[in-house]
Amino acid sequence: MKFCTRLNLKSEKGNALLMALAVIFILTSFGTVSLMTSVANVKMSGKYKSWSKDYSILDTNAETKVNQINSILEEAESNAQKYMDGQYYLSETGPIGDLEIPFLAQSYINGQWRTWVEPYLADMDSEEYKNYQPIFVDNILTRLYYYYASKLLNNNADANGYDVLTQIDGSDIELTDYQSNLFSSSTQILNEGNLAVKLQTNTIKDKVIAVRLIVNYPTYEPVKQTKVVVFKGNPIWTNAITAAGSIGFINGSSTIKGDLFSADKEESLYLNDNHVKASGIYSDGAQVSIYGNVYSKGNLHTIRSNSKMNIYKYPTENFSIDLKSNVFAKNIYPGLFFEDDLEKYPISTKYTYVEPYPVDSSDDTLYFINQDIIGGNIYCNSLSVDRTVDDKKVDNAEIYAHGNVSTWNDIKMNNSIPGSLFDGKDSKITVAKNFIGINAEGHNGDPNASSTVINNTALSGNTITLNGKMIVPGTAWAEYAGVKKNGWERFWWPGSKSNPINPWLSYQYYQTGESITAKNADIYSAYLSPVEHPVPSYNYSYEPYTIEAEPDSYVEANINSYYLMRGDNTSGSDTDSLIPKKSQLTDFINSKKLSGGKVVSNIFSGGNVTGYALGEALLHRSKASTVTVHGEPISNLPDDLQPHQIIDNADYHMYYFDIQSTLSKIFLSKVQNLGTLKKMPVSFEGFIDPSEGYRENLGRDYEDYVDKSAVKDINGNLLHSNPAEMTNAFVYLELPSSGETNILNISDSFSGIIYCEGNLKITGSGNFNGAIIAEGNITVVNDASISYDEEVIQNVLEKDNDAYCFFSKLSSFENQTNKSKGFIDKSAIFNSDGSLRSWVKTDPTGMQKNFIYFKNNNSTLHSGNYQGIIYCEGNLNIENGVTLNGAIICEGNVTVEGGSTITYDEKVIKNVLKDANVRRFFAPGEMGSDIISNYTTTASDGAVRLTNVKRFQIVEWKEEQQ
């Protein structure tokens, strides 16, 4: 069957247009949307760019503030290290200035030191010290860091725009409470996060960055480092005590381990023994044990009953002199302890002048130049037991020298009351080894300055013992007020009043024939007795001497006199020769002994007498009750009256005079100049105003500044008196006979130092460079110009020994114009305004291996334990109960009260000299070979810091829209 479908067909005309329009519409819509999106993106991009620029600026601002905080924390860290490096924890009084901390904080730190470290200092190799010391330092360094950080952050908070946040155990606390808790038993206070900073940047278009950071402790790595310090030694710190003045020991018992040096600047080398002073090195009622050498320009003496001084060799255990040896190591003989190029030693085929090195302690050879490297040697003006300074007798005093003794003057027993019959009793002087007197008779100065051995109180049980060999080149002199010499018409007295400048010029002296003797009528009567055996070729006579002062009315018959023998060579070549006196003395004493009598000097020898004596030596041999006269053979005496031989007397006589000049220089080097070729610097600083160039109205105060005995010879003649055309010279002007005013005409260019006794009138139109000093007024007329010139002054003092001695009371350790010629440099410790530099410590409390500087005229070292080097500008009093290891250096006098122990300690000194500032202070006196000091240091002293550990940690960094 067939189906059919019916379709209704319509026209399709226009459909393509509609579809095209639809497509166009859709595309247009997409284009519009895309365009709108692009426009929106462009707008959004501009806004984002502006936003990023603002926050970039804010980020930079925040980083700047953080860097400022880091700088503050860096300063805090530095302050903490400086505190620890300066060892301020040793004292109850803390530092000042930037390092200052509260008093309670200082007390806490010092208490921690005393509790955990100080008890173990005696043995720093102990486990306790090794454990506790690093813990202590790390703990205190941490607390100090947080304290300085909180303090500095708070001080800079307002200026830098931040807030300081403090808390403990999560609770906010005030800054003051936080700081006080840092120095308490609290350990929580050290937790990180307790100290924080919150800061906010400046606002830019309502935008801001907020930052919060916590302060961290910059951890130190516990790794040891070895540091090496190379320096040269300085003789000024090579003694237990070095004093420009005197060293005195008062009461009690004191021990010195190391050498003593006293320049005794207040006294002349030619001391007036008529007046006992607390000067040189002395014991005033003290029992003193000295284990070392003694160097004193003044006397080594006792000045009160029951005083005792024992001078031993160096300690055999726990004692070193390596540094001191290094100072003088460039010598041929390094143990001499002085520069040995003072002068070439004489050459002798039979004799060795210098003690060999190393020293053989069993060698009893008499050497003129001794090694000091084993200690126990003495160099002094006189070795004496004296009466008291207020002229009272002294009983039971003792000096025992276990080494060699060299004296400029005498060994003497002098413990009686002047002008009385009351002598001190039971005192002793003992020299275990050899004795050398430096000066022969006739040496410039006081005639009593020749070296002798005298017991002035022999009849009261006082003894002197010389166990070794000896050189005694001087003779004893007897002191009288007036004399009538042969050929004189009347008696003559030197003056109606005492001479304060040259005391010996107030007296007449009679030279005896004795070098070793005693004050004893049985001895002195020899010169009053008739001559039994005259020496051929000599004429004998007697001259009257008197002890009475010059009478107002001269009647010779009323003058009590002693007629004393003299002998003049008939050839006229000798005047009052010693030879007849030695003969008469020997004849008198030996004749007395042969008749059953005895003569006492109480000066004992150890056996045979070896050496040289100018006069006779009256010695008890092997504890005999009477003396034996020792000396050269005397031609006119029979055999039974001859003196006993001094072994090798002629040889040692020759050796002595060959080396005498060198011997004097060596002695002065040791007792005046610390064993060096330098002179102790003399400075006019504080004495003369440089702006004026002169000092007037000195008056009687001159005794505090000058030594007038230095400018006159033995007869009182002035040595420096001509100012004409003076160039770098020293001139002394006496009072003119016409009045009290000297006239100085400066017509040209003069230079030097002028000292005037009275008033001084300066005329002329020339120039004067240097210094002028007057006891009266100074008047300058016309156009004369005076300019203070330190260089000229130093030139004069260096080349003119008389001028140097004249002004030696102004000596110290620093040369103001040429630091290389002194021993120290004070510019290392003083600022230009005269204040002390911040590194210098002035409080010795608890000092451990420190350098302490005392600036006061009179300072006191109180009872306690100390380690380090103490330098004192003025006088220093060391109280009872002081124990010090290191060295003491003093520009004035040092007094040590009983119960104190001072030990020269090279380990301590090396530790002090690790400080470059201290080395600079001592640099001018450097000499000898290099000293190398190696030491280890750990993190606990701030030496090694971890570089990757920051001082803070950022815990919040937020960008905010306000």
Side-chain angles (χ1 to χ4, degrees), residues 245-482:
S246 61
I247 302 174
F249 299 91
I250 302 174
N251 301 326
S253 299
S254 291
T255 300
I256 305 296
K257 297 178 182 179
D259 298 339
L260 293 180
F261 172 87
S262 165
D264 197 27
K265 66 179 183 179
E266 297 299 322
E267 292 191 294
S268 166
L269 190 61
Y270 301 101
L271 303 180
N272 176 18
D273 291 334
N274 293 323
H275 305 290
V276 176
K277 295 182 179 180
S279 58
I281 298 177
Y282 62 92
S283 171
D284 187 354
Q287 289 75 52
V288 188
S289 296
I290 302 169
Y291 294 85
N293 302 298
V294 175
Y295 308 97
S296 175
K297 192 187 80 174
N299 295 335
L300 176 65
H301 55 149
T302 61
I303 59 172
R304 192 171 297 281
S305 294
N306 303 310
S307 300
K308 288 181 172 56
M309 303 185 82
N310 283 283
I311 297 85
Y312 302 97
K313 296 176 182 179
Y314 288 131
T316 55
E317 296 181 355
N318 301 319
F319 188 82
S320 171
I321 53 168
D322 290 343
L323 296 186
K324 183 156 190 168
S325 297
N326 263 33
V327 169
F328 301 99
K330 292 187 176 181
N331 291 348
I332 299 173
Y333 304 94
L336 293 176
F337 291 172
F338 71 94
E339 293 186 288
D340 67 355
D341 54 349
L342 293 166
E343 189 169 311
K344 291 183 179 179
Y345 306 126
I347 298 175
S348 172
T349 56
K350 294 177 58 179
Y351 183 71
T352 302
Y353 284 90
V354 183
E355 184 176 11
Y357 177 84
V359 174
D360 179 359
S361 59
S362 64
D363 184 3
D364 65 351
T365 304
L366 173 58
Y367 298 107
F368 283 89
I369 302 168
N370 293 306
Q371 300 281 348
D372 291 344
I373 202 164
I374 62 174
N377 293 333
I378 295 172
Y379 304 85
C380 63
N381 184 72
S382 285
L383 184 71
S384 59
V385 170
D386 284 327
R387 58 183 173 272
T388 66
V389 294
D390 53 353
D391 289 334
K392 294 180 180 178
K393 66 184 182 69
V394 164
D395 300 327
N396 194 36
E398 182 176 348
I399 300 176
Y400 198 113
H402 290 258
N404 302 293
V405 173
S406 296
T407 67
W408 188 257
N409 198 347
D410 303 326
I411 294 177
K412 61 182 179 178
M413 190 67 64
N414 196 37
N415 54 340
S416 64
I417 300 175
S420 77
L421 299 177
F422 298 100
D423 291 344
K425 299 179 179 180
D426 304 321
S427 295
K428 301 175 183 178
I429 298 175
T430 303
V431 179
K433 296 195 73 175
N434 300 328
F435 165 62
I436 295 178
I438 303 298
N439 287 322
E441 55 91 17
H443 191 90
N444 184 40
D446 185 349
N448 275 318
S450 60
S451 299
T452 57
V453 180
I454 301 177
N455 189 345
N456 285 315
T457 54
L459 303 181
S460 298
N462 302 290
T463 64
I464 298 174
T465 302
L466 305 174
N467 284 327
K469 299 170 182 175
M470 60 199 73
I471 301 293
V472 191
T475 60
W477 297 67
E479 183 181 280
Y480 292 92

Side-chain angles (χ1 to χ4, degrees), residues 526 528-532 542 584:
L528 299 168
S529 300
V531 177
E532 298 292 337
Y542 289 82
Q584 176 74 353

Side-chain angles (χ1 to χ4, degrees), residues 879-901:
E879 285 188 346
N880 177 30
V882 166
T883 299
L884 182 139
N885 284 58
I888 293 174
I889 305 163
C890 187
E891 294 180 11
N893 304 319
V894 177
T895 54
V896 182
E897 296 187 14
S900 294
T901 299

